[in-house]
Amino acid sequence: MIKMLKKPLGLCMLIFTGIALMFSPMSLYAWEPQKPVEFVIMAGKGGGADKMARLMQTVIEKKGWSSMPLTPINKPGGSGAEALVHLKNRAKSDPNHTIMVTLNSFYTTPMRQPGLGVDISTFTPVARMAEDTFLLWVHKDSGITDVNQFVRAAKSKGSDWIMAGTGKLQEDQLLTDFLNAAYGLSMKYVPYKGGGKVAKQLAGKHANSTVNNPSEQEGFYKAGTTVALAAFTDNRLEMFPDAPTFKELGKDYVYYMQRSIVGAPGMSYAAAAYYQRLFKRVFDSDEWQNYRKKKSLMGDFLTGTELQDYWQNEREIHRNILKKMGAI
């Protein structure tokens, strides 16, 4: 970001600054990928991050916005540790051709696993495309239609009540911990690699509940297989008007998950500018805006220092949550 200089400059400095301002944009706009771009997804197939990445890849390809294809690669291992380490190591090899779709394990996994040597402040901010939402879900055959019924049923089963979720000590488990603490429950949390698998566990009655994103449960919800009981949002979601927020139910708890694009450490300024422009075009596209509405996504576009500031703030929030859980 170029800041306005307030102090008087000498003639030579003025000339140099003018030349820099005149030619820097040209050099930034000159860079384009020279080979296929690795589009890493730090989650499994079928989940919200995976669906988002593949939609964006399709939009970019259809519009002809990239000189080279973006190649989605799922790396869900270790609650995203596999993807984070892969991206970190690209700083030594090819940082300009590796980007990643990330979620809130971007904060929690490095704190839980300091041996990874991952410092998120070194990653290149490309774009926050949205903030995803969460709801509490049960199977229709459970007969549960509201949170009070859910609490009674979960209490009666104790640790035999299974809450399926994505990964360990990341988004879904944080919400499960909240529910256990807020309602005096002792649900057992069982992790899976990807929100798609989690949704299938509930639909197949292998789990009693989940806290899936709307995009992950949408198919089963529309088929009448699953029921949304309540939302972890500030206001009711348009897509689920009958699901109250936990704030409405007297629990002042709101939680969102970033849907962001991150570049490898060491990415050049020109490459970063290229990807920032590219994903701003995706964000503004009808396809992405329609997807946001359909999947109950929120949040404005962020990039550059604004996105870095957002990361730092969210990291501290998650640090406090993990400390309360005794996870760090």
Side-chain angles (χ1 to χ4, degrees), residues 294-328:
K294 183 180 177 182
K295 306 299 182 181
S296 298
L297 299 176
M298 300 181 176
D300 297 328
F301 180 87
L302 294 179
T303 190
T305 56
E306 285 187 330
L307 181 52
Q308 286 180 317
D309 290 344
Y310 171 79
W311 286 346
Q312 296 307 316
N313 182 63
E314 288 295 310
R315 179 167 66 173
E316 289 311 304
I317 290 172
H318 283 82
R319 187 190 307 279
N320 291 331
I321 293 173
L322 291 178
K323 283 182 177 179
K324 288 180 181 178
M325 294 175 68
I328 59 174

Side-chain angles (χ1 to χ4, degrees), residues 83-201:
L84 288 163
V85 170
H86 178 78
L87 200 67
K88 181 189 78 168
N89 291 339
R90 281 302 193 194
K92 304 173 184 176
S93 54
D94 193 3
N96 286 353
H97 291 87
T98 311
I99 56 177
M100 180 174 74
V101 172
T102 190
L103 26 99
N104 288 357
S105 50
F106 182 66
Y107 318 119
T108 57
T109 296
M111 286 188 281
R112 288 180 43 244
Q113 303 181 52
L116 297 176
V118 170
D119 179 0
I120 66 170
S121 67
T122 65
F123 286 83
T124 303
V126 174
R128 188 189 77 177
M129 302 297 288
E131 287 186 307
D132 211 340
T133 53
F134 293 84
L135 296 102
L136 173 62
W137 303 86
V138 293
H139 198 285
K140 184 179 181 181
D141 291 349
S142 69
I144 297 171
T145 58
D146 61 39
V147 172
N148 287 332
Q149 293 177 0
F150 165 82
V151 170
R152 288 197 295 270
K155 275 187 177 179
S156 68
K157 295 194 70 170
S159 59
D160 290 330
W161 184 277
I162 303 300
M163 174 73 85
T166 303
K168 295 180 180 179
L169 289 171
Q170 56 188 77
E171 302 85 8
D172 292 3
Q173 190 166 359
L174 301 187
L175 294 176
T176 303
D177 185 73
F178 157 74
L179 291 170
N180 278 336
Y183 293 101
L185 307 177
S186 54
M187 296 181 292
K188 181 180 179 181
Y189 178 79
V190 179
Y192 294 88
K193 291 183 178 180
K197 290 185 178 180
V198 172
K200 290 178 181 178
Q201 291 300 308

Side-chain angles (χ1 to χ4, degrees), residues 41-110:
I41 306 163
M42 60 184 301
K45 293 183 178 180
D50 183 65
K51 291 179 178 179
M52 160 186 163
R54 294 178 191 278
L55 170 67
M56 292 189 292
Q57 175 212 21
T58 299
V59 172
I60 291 169
E61 185 175 330
K62 183 178 74 172
K63 304 283 189 181
W65 285 343
S66 178
S67 58
M68 288 288 171
L70 275 61
T71 306
I73 303 171
N74 295 86
K75 290 185 177 291
S79 298
E82 177 188 10
L84 288 163
V85 170
H86 178 78
L87 200 67
K88 181 189 78 168
N89 291 339
R90 281 302 193 194
K92 304 173 184 176
S93 54
D94 193 3
N96 286 353
H97 291 87
T98 311
I99 56 177
M100 180 174 74
V101 172
T102 190
L103 26 99
N104 288 357
S105 50
F106 182 66
Y107 318 119
T108 57
T109 296

Side-chain angles (χ1 to χ4, degrees), residues 7-18:
K7 295 183 179 180
L9 297 171
L11 179 61
C12 291
M13 182 60 78
L14 281 170
I15 293 172
F16 175 81
T17 302

Side-chain angles (χ1 to χ4, degrees), residues 25-45:
M26 294 174 63
S27 63
L28 290 177
Y29 277 78
W31 190 90
E32 289 186 344
Q34 301 303 305
K35 62 181 184 179
V37 177
E38 278 194 354
F39 200 14
V40 179
I41 306 163
M42 60 184 301
K45 293 183 178 180

